[in-house]
Amino acid sequence: MGPDSSPSTLRDRLPAETESNTLGYGLVGGVVGIVLSAVPLSTLLGGLVAGYLEGGRFEDGLKAGAVAGVVMFVPFVFLFVLLLAFLGFGGAPAALGVFGAVALVFVAAYTVGFAVLGGYLGVYIRREL
C-alpha cells in the first residue's frame, strides 16, 4: 500500500492557498445581517453569507457564523447602553434594569444562535452548489 491509498479528508484535499479568513467573513456576514435587519431572520441570512464565504469545513462555517452573530449583537448592546444612559442609570427602577439584562441575554441567544445555524447552512449550500 502506497501513500496514495490512505483515505483523505476534505481538509487534506484543500489547496494550500485557501487560508481561512473567518474573522473577515464573519464581519461581512455581520454587516449583511445588520443591513437586512428589517427582514425576518436576518441573523440567519448574515450567518449564511459568512458560512458560504468561509466554505471548507462545517466547523469553520460555525465559527464564521458565530463571529457574524457577535457583530450583529453589537448594535443591541449599544442601544441598551444608550437606553440606560437616557434613563439615568440610577433613576430607573431596578426591575427595569434586570428585565433589560434578561432581554439582552435572550437577544444574544437569538442573534448568535441563528447566525451559527446560518453559518452551518452556508457551508452546506456551498458544498452542494
Side-chain angles (χ1 to χ4, degrees), residues 34 39 88 109:
I34 291 171
V39 177

Side-chain angles (χ1 to χ4, degrees), residues 26-110:
L27 184 63
V28 170
V31 170
V32 167
I34 291 171
V35 169
L36 297 176
S37 62
V39 177
L41 296 175
S42 63
T43 56
L44 181 76
L45 295 174
L48 192 132
V49 168
Y52 184 84
L53 291 174
E54 180 68 34
R57 300 179 306 149
F58 286 114
E59 294 84 11
D60 297 333
L62 293 174
K63 290 176 189 174
V67 170
V70 169
V71 169
M72 288 183 271
F73 183 64
V74 168
F76 290 111
V77 173
F78 176 74
L79 290 175
F80 181 71
V81 170
L82 188 65
L83 179 66
L84 285 179
F86 179 71
L87 294 175
F89 287 103
L96 183 62
V98 171
F99 175 74
V102 169
L104 202 60
V105 168
F106 280 110
V107 169
Y110 167 82

Side-chain angles (χ1 to χ4, degrees), residues 100-126:
V102 169
L104 202 60
V105 168
F106 280 110
V107 169
Y110 167 82
T111 303
V112 176
F114 272 109
V116 168
L117 177 62
Y120 183 86
L121 292 174
V123 171
Y124 178 78
I125 289 171
R126 182 161 182 173

